[in-house]
Amino acid sequence: MGWNQKSRMNFSLLLPSLLGISLLWPCLPATENSKTEKVKHSAGPHLRVKRGWMWNQFFVPEEMNRTSYRIGQLRSDLDNGNNSFQYKLLGAEAGSIFVIDERTGDIYARQKLDREERSLYTLRAQVIDTTTGRAVEPESEFVIRVSDINDNEPKFLDEPYEAIVPEMSPEGTLVIQVTASDADDPSSGNNARLLYSLLRGQPYFSIEPTTGVIRISSKMDRELQDEYWVIIQAKDMLGLPGALSGTTSVLIKLSDVNDNKPIFKESLYRLTVSESAPTGTSIGKIMAYDNDIGENAEMDYSIEEDDSQTFDIITNNETQEGIVILKKKVDFEHQNHYGIRAKVKNRHVDEKLMKYHAEASTTFIKVQVEDDDEPPVFHFPYYIFEIFEGSPHGSFVGVVSAADPDQRNSPIGYSVTRSKVFSIDDNGTIIATNPLDREISAWYNLSVTATEKYNVQQISAVPVYVQVLNINDHPPEFSEYYETFVCENAASGQVIQTISAVDRDESVEDHHFYFNLSVDDAKNSSFTIMDNQDNTAVILTNRTGFSLQEEPVFYISILIADNGIPSLTSTNTLTIYICDCDDNGSTQTCSNKDLMLSLGFRTEIIIAILISIMIIFGFIFLILGLKQQRKQTLFPEKGEDFGENIFRYDDEGGGEEDTEAFDIAELRSSTVMRERRTRKAPAAEIRSLYRQSLQVGPDSAIFRKFILEKLEEANTDPCAPPFDSLQTYAFEGTGSLAGSLSSLGSAVSDQDENYDYLNELGPRFKRLACMFGSAMQSNY
């Protein structure tokens, strides 16, 4: 049993019509029942004999778009066409992707095949006899290969593309390489063979067709155009008809090179500067423009021509402006305009690009000086004058001079600030207003101000130094206070003291002093002096033996002369104490004398302090005594024994009928009705009350006198509290002219009552007099 060679031949003949579908069969071993032991090579171009096995394959194109289409036929050579054989297709894809006609053996594909997804399928085939249900031939495998067609266009992998290339690059400079990929089979014809072409970008760029390398084909200037969009196309099948294509775009940017020099847009700049402007002042800006960018546009400005060396230019690195600054002060009266030339150049220039920067750009700057009202200017920055000490009032010191630098030449006024020793007139002459003493102040530092009379705001000052010259007006004197001691048993010629002198005057040469005894002392043979010729002298004894009891102290006059012109002489007294010395020459008695003097001095101080303390305490006691005496005068009644008759309550009460506030029985034993009386003089009234008080018990004259005195004190004491705050309750007595202050019965008694006498009771009754006296009179 075996495959029908005729059918294989037919299959082979059908291959061209199968559009490349191949079916690969493995070799089957030859059997005795086979009609052919070997498959001949002439069986067909797709059948070959290899080691006794037959290989066969179907090729199917992938572009089939039909739902089901025939790709080949399987047929056994035992099949005689009586429909007794059944063909079966086995495998993973059988029934889903591939199906077989069981009667005819035709194989169909149920869906479109994509080689890029899967290019090979392995299936198995089997033939069964339907009458017996047995396999006619053994199961065999075959392969279906999907042949490639050009169904994938080229695609660029690394989109988007961007490249940077320096401007002015030469032709042939590499820019970038683009690469496209085709999913078709590269071994199947030209389906995946690509060619690159330039759709956009001529004439500045070109591309290599097979590599996709983009190169520069023409020089480009960034200042004209700084970026380019280039479109690249890739075609498969080497660009033959029917080829597929893909495109991409490439952004090519031009980087800057320093191929442009900075240039001034203005050939002339006009600037102004005030003559009062200090050095370093910015007077204006100049600007150059550079078409380059970044570091290539950085520039430096400089002065090319400026004979006066008055101006300078610095560069603002942020704005790339040139700032013109004042290097030296200008003076309108000296020069009112300037002309300078400035240049500019790039800061960073490559040697290869120096040809673009051969000549620097320049511009001309005119500077106009503005006239300002300037303060006066002294002829010298400072003045030094000399004057002898002791010069009289109005002595000449020196002359200062200032002038207005402006064209109007304003008159100048002078003044000396904060000085009581010197004054100045309108001509600038300085005079001394007080005598000068070099020993008090040898130098005077003055400040003289000059003020324009046309504009008093314009003021300038100059320092003036006045040196007071010395004259020999101070005689020499002892350099210190000397206390000289000599023993009673001193021998003749003994040195007892060394003296020196000082002179407050200033000497042109070094000071030199001469020492001598006065004429009177020179006749005294007790002591003598010897000049050492070095501004010192020694005192020597001129006799042997001294007596402490007879002459305890000697006073000698020493004449000291200086070397000034004229020479001055002073007389200085030297005190010499005679001392009782022991055998060793120790002046113990003189030392005790010093101690006593010191103690005596301290005793005097202590006595003075004690006297001062006693005076202070005496003054304090005197003040206290005066205060005590004043208190006794103001309150004499405090010494009398009548405290039991006074009752004080802190309640105003409610009248005579108010018995809850206080017990009125404590003030009087019986109620006495008051009668209206005419007002009498205070003195006569007091005497009358005194007489009445002798007849009544509690209503005594002493008690009434006390009340009246208290009333008088309240009227005259400015420190007394207000009357409405003084709450004093006391018995008034039976003879009170004021009567009862109770409101009880006032309706009956007040009609005939005359209250004019209240005006005579003092200022505290003024309010009552005003309220009752006038009111009652108006009722009449």
Side-chain angles (χ1 to χ4, degrees):
M1 181 175 63
W3 294 103
N4 191 324
Q5 185 177 1
K6 181 179 179 180
S7 66
R8 287 198 292 272
M9 291 296 293
N10 292 336
F11 176 71
S12 175
L13 292 176
L14 290 175
L15 284 177
S17 65
L18 293 177
L19 297 175
I21 300 176
S22 64
L23 183 63
L24 179 61
W25 288 90
C27 294
L28 299 177
T31 62
E32 294 179 354
N33 297 328
S34 300
K35 292 183 179 181
T36 57
E37 295 180 355
K38 294 185 179 178
V39 179
K40 297 182 179 179
H41 193 278
S42 60
H46 294 281
L47 296 175
R48 67 181 182 273
V49 177
K50 184 178 180 182
R51 296 177 182 176
W53 293 86
M54 181 183 68
W55 293 88
N56 212 341
Q57 59 183 348
F58 288 119
F59 290 90
V60 57
E62 61 176 330
E63 76 272 12
M64 289 296 184
N65 293 325
R66 290 172 294 178
T67 304
S68 179
Y69 55 93
R70 183 173 178 272
I71 61 175
Q73 183 182 23
L74 295 177
R75 189 172 181 83
S76 174
D77 55 357
L78 300 178
D79 188 359
N80 54 9
N82 56 5
N83 297 326
S84 61
F85 284 178
Q86 181 182 4
Y87 297 91
K88 290 186 178 182
L89 192 63
L90 305 175
E93 291 77 15
S96 57
I97 299 177
F98 302 101
V99 294
I100 191 170
D101 189 336
E102 295 181 350
R103 183 180 60 82
T104 62
D106 292 330
I107 300 175
Y108 296 91
R110 301 185 64 181
Q111 65 185 36
K112 179 182 177 180
L113 304 179
D114 190 349
R115 187 200 66 84
E116 285 71 38
E117 293 182 1
R118 186 170 180 180
S119 62
L120 185 130
Y121 298 89
T122 302
L123 301 174
R124 300 189 309 276
Q126 191 178 33
V127 181
I128 298 175
D129 190 348
T130 57
T131 57
T132 63
R134 295 181 179 179
V136 178
E137 293 185 7
E139 180 180 310
S140 180
E141 288 186 352
F142 65 94
V143 175
I144 298 176
R145 292 185 179 274
V146 182
S147 61
D148 182 56
I149 63 172
N150 191 18
D151 61 341
N152 291 280
E153 70 276 5
K155 293 183 179 180
F156 289 90
L157 304 179
D158 300 323
E159 291 183 312
Y161 290 96
E162 184 174 326
I164 299 176
V165 63
E167 64 171 329
M168 308 302 293
S169 296
E171 296 181 8
T173 301
L174 173 65
V175 179
I176 194 174
Q177 182 178 13
V178 296
T179 303
S181 177
D182 197 320
D184 293 324
D185 187 2
S187 63
S188 176
N190 297 324
N191 291 345
R193 298 184 64 182
L194 306 179
L195 285 180
Y196 299 93
S197 61
L198 199 65
L199 297 183
R200 177 181 174 183
Q202 299 90 350
Y204 302 108
F205 303 96
S206 63
I207 189 169
E208 295 179 359
T210 58
T211 62
V213 174
I214 302 175
R215 298 183 182 275
I216 291 177
S217 59
S218 178
K219 286 188 177 181
M220 292 168 287
D221 190 353
R222 187 200 64 82
E223 286 72 37
L224 297 178
Q225 185 174 347
D226 59 352
E227 62 182 24
Y228 295 85
W229 281 98
V230 177
I231 298 178
I232 306 298
Q233 183 185 61
K235 278 188 176 183
D236 57 12
M237 297 183 65
L238 296 177
L240 296 176
L244 301 179
S245 64
T247 60
T248 188
S249 59
V250 181
L251 175 61
I252 301 176
K253 296 181 179 180
L254 299 182
S255 61
D256 183 61
V257 298
N258 198 357
D259 59 338
N260 294 278
K261 68 179 182 180
I263 298 175
F264 285 106
K265 298 299 183 182
E266 302 289 340
S267 60
L268 175 64
Y269 288 88
R270 298 182 183 274
L271 305 177
T272 59
V273 59
S274 172
E275 64 175 338
S276 61
T279 58
T281 301
S282 172
I283 65 173
K285 298 178 181 178
I286 60 176
M287 184 69 183
Y289 297 89
D290 194 331
N291 290 326
D292 295 321
I293 59 175
E295 185 181 80
N296 296 327
E298 294 180 1
M299 60 189 74
D300 290 318
Y301 298 87
S302 60
I303 297 294
E304 188 176 47
E305 297 177 7
D306 183 13
D307 297 335
S308 65
Q309 301 294 317
T310 307
F311 304 94
D312 197 2
I313 299 180
I314 60 176
T315 304
N316 187 331
N317 294 324
E318 295 183 358
T319 62
Q320 297 300 314
E321 294 176 320
I323 302 175
V324 183
I325 62 174
L326 188 63
K327 192 176 179 180
K328 295 191 304 184
K329 285 185 66 65
V330 294
D331 187 357
F332 177 83
E333 287 71 27
H334 180 261
Q335 184 176 351
N336 56 19
H337 67 277
Y338 294 85
I340 59 176
R341 182 169 293 278
K343 66 178 181 179
V344 64
K345 61 180 181 179
N346 277 130
R347 188 174 299 170
H348 309 285
V349 181
D350 192 274
E351 291 293 337
K352 299 177 182 179
L353 302 173
M354 286 300 297
K355 60 182 180 179
Y356 298 107
H357 304 267
E359 186 177 353
S361 177
T362 63
T363 187
F364 193 76
I365 303 174
K366 286 187 176 181
V367 181
Q368 181 67 37
V369 180
E370 296 179 342
D371 185 22
D372 284 346
D373 190 4
E374 301 175 87
V377 177
F378 284 92
H379 293 168
F380 298 100
Y382 60 91
Y383 292 86
I384 299 178
F385 300 125
E386 296 177 347
I387 184 174
F388 282 99
E389 64 175 331
S391 298
H393 173 78
S395 297
F396 174 81
V397 177
V399 177
V400 299
S401 179
D404 183 6
D406 300 318
Q407 291 181 345
R408 63 179 181 178
N409 195 18
S410 172
I412 305 298
Y414 301 93
S415 62
V416 178
T417 59
R418 297 186 301 275
S419 177
K420 298 179 180 180
V421 182
F422 301 94
S423 64
I424 190 171
D425 59 16
D426 287 341
N427 296 323
T429 300
I430 301 175
I431 60 173
T433 58
N434 291 314
L436 305 178
D437 188 350
R438 190 203 64 83
E439 286 69 36
I440 296 177
S441 179
W443 283 91
Y444 289 89
N445 299 332
L446 309 180
S447 178
V448 176
T449 59
T451 306
E452 292 185 11
K453 294 188 175 181
Y454 292 160
N455 185 2
V456 294
Q457 301 297 326
Q458 296 298 333
I459 301 174
S460 60
V462 68
V464 177
Y465 308 100
V466 180
Q467 182 181 14
V468 181
L469 302 178
N470 179 68
I471 62 173
N472 195 18
D473 58 344
H474 290 85
E477 56 189 11
F478 280 151
S479 60
E480 60 180 287
Y481 175 75
Y482 296 104
E483 284 190 348
T484 305
F485 306 97
V486 61
C487 295
E488 288 182 300
N489 56 357
S492 177
Q494 180 179 344
V495 177
I496 63 173
Q497 184 69 57
T498 300
I499 61 174
S500 62
V502 293
D503 193 340
R504 290 188 295 166
D505 290 323
E506 183 182 32
S507 177
V508 178
E509 302 176 354
D510 291 338
H511 283 291
H512 188 75
F513 304 110
Y514 306 93
F515 300 89
N516 290 290
L517 293 177
S518 64
V519 177
D520 295 337
D521 290 333
K523 298 177 181 180
N524 188 350
S525 60
S526 298
F527 301 96
T528 185
I529 188 171
M530 184 177 66
D531 195 339
N532 295 329
Q533 299 299 318
D534 60 354
N535 292 338
T536 64
V538 292
I539 308 298
L540 303 93
T541 58
N542 200 25
R543 72 180 188 181
T544 301
F546 295 90
S547 176
L548 177 60
Q549 287 75 19
E550 295 179 359
E551 291 181 294
V553 180
F554 285 88
Y555 300 97
I556 60 174
S557 298
I558 299 175
L559 301 179
I560 306 175
D562 59 16
N563 61 338
I565 301 174
S567 178
L568 295 181
T569 303
S570 65
T571 301
N572 300 267
T573 300
L574 180 65
T575 303
I576 302 175
Y577 297 97
I578 307 301
C579 302
D580 183 13
C581 305
D582 55 13
D583 295 338
N584 296 327
S586 177
T587 57
Q588 292 180 350
T589 304
C590 294
S591 299
N592 294 335
K593 175 180 176 298
D594 293 338
L595 180 60
M596 292 301 295
L597 290 174
S598 176
L599 290 177
F601 177 70
R602 295 177 182 175
T603 304
E604 292 177 356
I605 294 178
I606 295 174
I607 292 174
I609 294 174
L610 291 176
I611 293 174
S612 300
I613 294 174
M614 292 176 64
I615 292 174
I616 293 173
F617 276 105
F619 183 70
I620 293 174
F621 291 147
L622 179 60
I623 293 175
L624 294 176
L626 292 176
K627 288 185 176 181
Q628 187 67 24
Q629 183 179 0
R630 183 173 178 271
K631 289 182 179 180
Q632 293 176 358
T633 304
L634 292 176
F635 306 102
E637 71 280 0
K638 292 184 179 181
E640 301 177 7
D641 189 13
F642 57 88
E644 67 276 3
N645 296 325
I646 299 176
F647 296 89
R648 185 181 298 273
Y649 294 87
D650 291 332
D651 193 346
E652 295 183 4
E656 286 81 349
E657 301 300 326
D658 186 3
T659 59
E660 294 180 0
F662 55 87
D663 188 4
I664 200 169
E666 296 293 336
L667 295 178
R668 58 190 179 184
S669 59
S670 61
T671 303
V672 179
M673 294 298 294
R674 299 188 182 93
E675 298 179 358
R676 185 175 59 186
R677 300 175 182 270
T678 59
R679 185 64 176 168
K680 300 180 181 179
E685 181 181 317
I686 293 175
R687 289 192 295 270
S688 175
L689 292 175
Y690 177 74
R691 288 191 297 267
Q692 294 177 9
S693 65
L694 297 178
Q695 302 173 1
V696 184
D699 195 10
S700 63
I702 295 177
F703 191 73
R704 266 186 279 168
K705 180 181 178 182
F706 166 73
I707 294 298
L708 292 176
E709 287 179 353
K710 285 299 179 184
L711 179 61
E712 186 67 20
E713 287 180 10
N715 291 336
T716 58
D717 188 359
C719 299
F723 66 90
D724 53 355
S725 298
L726 186 61
Q727 301 176 3
T728 301
Y729 299 91
F731 177 64
E732 298 181 13
T734 57
S736 174
L737 297 178
S740 175
L741 297 179
S742 175
S743 60
L744 300 177
S746 59
V748 180
S749 61
D750 287 348
Q751 295 179 358
D752 299 332
E753 187 71 35
N754 185 4
Y755 296 97
D756 291 338
Y757 65 91
L758 294 175
N759 293 317
E760 302 177 3
L761 295 180
R764 295 188 179 274
F765 292 89
K766 291 292 185 181
R767 176 65 62 182
L768 293 175
C770 180
M771 293 173 59
F772 292 94
S774 300
M776 297 304 295
Q777 290 176 6
S778 61
N779 291 333
Y780 295 129

